[in-house]
Amino acid sequence: AQPPGGEARGGPMRRGGAGGQRERRVPNCRLSNPPKMASEDITKLAESLAKTKVGGGQLSFKGQSLKLNTAEDAEEVIKQIEEFDGLEALRLEGNTVGVEAAKVIAKALEKKSELKRCHWSDMFTGRLRSEIPPALISLGDALITAGAQLVELDLSDNAFGPDGVRGFEALLKSPACYTLQELKLNNCGMGIGGGKILAAALKECHRKSSAQGKPLALKIFVAGRNRLENDGATALAEAFGIIGTLEEVHMPQNGINHPGITALAQAFAINSLLKVINLNDNTFTEKGAVAMAETLKSLRQIEVINFGDCLVRSKGAVAIADAVKEGLHKLKELNLSFCEIKRDAALTVAEAIEDKAELEKLDLNGNCLGEEGCEQLQEILEGFNMAAVLGSLSDDEGEEEDDEEEEEEEEEEEEEEEEEEEQQQLKERGQGEQDSLTPKKIIDSQDSTPVPSPPVDVATFLAFPSPEKLLRLGPKCSVLIAQQTDTSDVEKVVTALLRISSVFKDEAPVKTAVHETTDALMRKAFTSATFNSDAFVTRLLIHMGLLKSEEKIKTVPSLYGILMTLNHMVQQDYFPKSLAPVLTAFVTK
């Protein structure tokens, strides 16, 4: 800065060179104390920096809470896009863009052929789901028209569901994405259907780009919290196996069980450059853990393994420990927290990291080591001079003695999983046969005697809930469940509510049945003089995994059903308004 009434220390500036660039010689320069600035000046500066050009050809409107509904609303955004020469990255996060605004923004992007990075997460806040696909189609078509060659596409935190994937399906299949390296779709509610559409688009993109001699070389894939489940994960695994260039895969909280985990493991084996695998909060069990361990043996670049809260259990942990011991010399982080791992298996994991010089963190918190096991674990690592890498063990569940009980639980779970797989296969087979029926077959089938469905009672539904069983209880299902649930027992009410909500589907018959049954049950509970509403909310939050209990409580595998049900429940007249702040605090946290 130049002092008032004189030249800057070090002599005058002089103009020189083409374009009027300035050169300043400042010998023996030293920094002075900065002048005091008014808070409004700082605010203005911060706003200017946030919304204008950032280095690397980036234009950012991040976090400005702009409500762009009409073409007029988007005028300033369009102006800045049009005036920005060499636009390589556009940040629209933290705003809300409507269909009309998206169209005019898209028009401005049609001339931006140098655009490489689209940071478009959380840009449809408060929009109807039906608004999002047409907005995405407009923006995607503009990128195709411009001849852009994207490197990064981030559409995370946009709750667009399966239909939203259709909105950028054409973009993914186009030459604009042949160069794509990073695809981020975290927390978009894609579901199984969206996962399948996405997988098909990625395969098509790879096929087309390969035909031009430059196959899609995707490096980073992020799709956590999308309810992909086994079918969605398996479809994506097929795409990953074809692509073969992945370096990071983040798919936490997707309700994936061992069939989906096994499919992913097989695909990961083909992606030899993998550095990061994050499958936190899915359900491996021993089968999935063993399959993943086999894959890890063939991967040489792995730096981060996050299988926390994945129920790998002791046998799975030992298999993973063997894989770690055999190789993985670049490993920096291993997370096997909250996986029901017992002491001996945890110690085996600790022994496996002896020669892992790059390791920075080992997380075995929330397992079943017991006090003595925790001490032994620390002693082993101290012997390797690696005590510093061990994370906290404050949530250790304590040592469990009953091995037979755990084995019985494992066998029961495996039997249930096998039954579910068989039912799913039968269902798919039946659907396939139904699709292929000719008119003659339909006539013939009408002549045959239908096989009666086995009777269903309330106890059967609550023990093994499914949408079909709820509907088969008939029109009085809501009354029957309410009558047979002891509302003086908070735990029984919570369990019944979770079982009912677990079968929720966004399909009219099931959705109506779930809502009506919930209403009957909770109206009876909340109007009962003996019902403790506060205790109910506490137990519900514990079962949802949002509040920790000193007891060992198995949390629900998916929050989708209970969240959808709560969304309906809190709007009803029977729901105590005093409970709303508590639920809000935990759910938003």
Side-chain angles (χ1 to χ4, degrees), residues 467 471 504-513 560:
L471 294 176
F504 180 89
K505 280 186 177 180
D506 199 9
E507 298 172 2
V510 178
K511 185 177 181 180
T512 301
Y560 173 68

Side-chain angles (χ1 to χ4, degrees), residues 88-91 115-121 143 150 152-155:
E88 294 183 10
L90 178 60
R91 306 197 77 107
L115 188 62
K116 292 180 174 63
R117 298 184 181 274
C118 297
H119 302 280
W120 294 350
S121 64
L143 299 178
L150 295 185
E152 179 179 359
L153 177 60
D154 186 356
L155 291 169

Side-chain angles (χ1 to χ4, degrees), residues 196-261:
K196 289 181 176 180
I197 296 167
L198 176 62
L202 287 172
K203 288 191 288 185
E204 182 71 0
C205 180
H206 186 272
R207 185 187 68 79
K208 288 182 175 179
S209 56
S210 297
Q212 292 195 3
K214 293 182 179 180
L216 172 68
L218 193 66
K219 293 181 179 179
I220 298 174
F221 179 82
V222 181
R225 302 181 67 187
N226 271 292
R227 296 183 286 109
L228 294 170
E229 301 181 17
N230 289 333
D231 290 351
T234 301
L236 285 167
E238 187 178 338
F240 296 163
I242 292 170
I243 293 168
T245 55
L246 288 166
E247 295 180 12
E248 294 185 23
V249 175
H250 302 263
M251 295 174 66
Q253 284 186 294
N254 270 298
I256 308 170
N257 298 327
H258 74 80
I261 296 297

